[in-house]
């Protein structure tokens, strides 16, 4: 059997999708997705191709290997061709935080009002930020994203807490940083290094974001 069932489950967890939400993307039922993940059945080849196209994953890798979280994150996010002809009002308006934003952050100028914005066809009710990766925002070892990449982060909500472990994220509090989520028992922490971490709680939940995707120029 192929690895398609394992990879569908991993894709759902990384993207924070329920079985029903994943099924809706491809005109399937929740029962279809359950049967694929439990390896009781495999999708038809046309469905496999749709999944590969949607998540911009080479079909051979989707079928033949167990994808890791980092591999899924490093595949280019898919933007439907149809998006160029839809009304701009259907696009999410995502505040863009560039290096100048973080250069001034220590001076207290950290408001999101009147920021430049990026419009993307993101199908989610959650909030997003677009952040230019730069030396002004500390990041952990193994953070494999180059300077000037734009990283898209999704605000953490209760329904995706279970997907955070070992996933990169962003803390937007008093001292912003990128980190890696660690879950130990009931504690969820975004960890920068051995000396710096922030623990998720109801009081500071608005500052926690999960890495959703990236944009990079291909030269």
């Amino acid at each position: 059997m192929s690895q398609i069932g394992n990879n569908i489950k991993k894709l759902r967890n990384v993207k924070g999708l329920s079985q029903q939400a994943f099924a809706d993307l491809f005109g399937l039922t929740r029962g279809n997705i359950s049967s694929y993940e439990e390896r009781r059945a495999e999708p038809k080849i046309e469905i496999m191709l749709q999944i590969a196209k949607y998540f911009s994953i080479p079909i051979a890798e989707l079928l033949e290997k167990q994808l890791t979280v980092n591999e899924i994150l490093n595949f280019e996010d898919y933007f439907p061709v149809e998006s160029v002809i839809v009304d701009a009002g259907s696009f999410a308006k995502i505040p863009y935080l560039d290096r100048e934003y973080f250069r001034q952050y220590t001076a207290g100028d950290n408001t999101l009002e009147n920021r430049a914005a990026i419009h993307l066809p993101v199908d989610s009710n959650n909030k997003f930020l677009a952040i230019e990766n730069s030396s002004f925002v500390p990041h952990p070892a193994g953070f494999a994203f180059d300077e000037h990449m734009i990283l898209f982060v999704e605000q953490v909500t209760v329904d995706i807490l279970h997907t955070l472990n070992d996933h990169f994220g962003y803390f937007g509090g008093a001292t912003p940083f990128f980190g890696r989520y660690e879950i130990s028992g009931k504690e969820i922490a975004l960890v920068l290094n051995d000396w710096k971490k922030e623990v998720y709680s109801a009081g500071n939940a608005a500052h926690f974001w999960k890495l959703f995707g990236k944009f990079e120029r291909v030269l």
Side-chain angles (χ1 to χ4, degrees), residues 53-71:
K53 181 181 178 182
Y54 189 91
F55 294 104
S56 288
I57 297 173
I59 186 66
E61 299 209 10
L62 183 66
L63 295 178
E64 296 172 5
K65 66 179 295 188
Q66 292 193 36
L67 300 174
T68 67
V69 171
N70 284 338
E71 284 174 330

Side-chain angles (χ1 to χ4, degrees), residues 89-129:
S90 65
F91 283 35
K93 183 178 180 182
I94 301 174
Y96 173 48
L97 312 183
D98 59 9
R99 61 178 50 238
E100 273 307 308
Y101 172 85
F102 292 103
R103 190 196 304 272
Q104 301 172 15
Y105 202 97
T106 54
D109 183 14
N110 56 3
T111 178
L112 295 180
E113 294 181 9
N114 301 318
R115 297 298 308 171
I118 295 175
H119 292 79
L120 289 179
V122 177
D123 184 19
S124 173
N125 293 324
N126 293 342
K127 295 179 180 178
F128 287 84
L129 292 177

Side-chain angles (χ1 to χ4, degrees), residues 194-210:
D194 290 341
W195 303 276
K196 174 66 175 177
K197 72 176 183 179
E198 293 288 344
V199 177
Y200 179 94
S201 69
N204 63 3
H207 297 303
F208 285 82
W209 304 77
K210 176 185 177 182

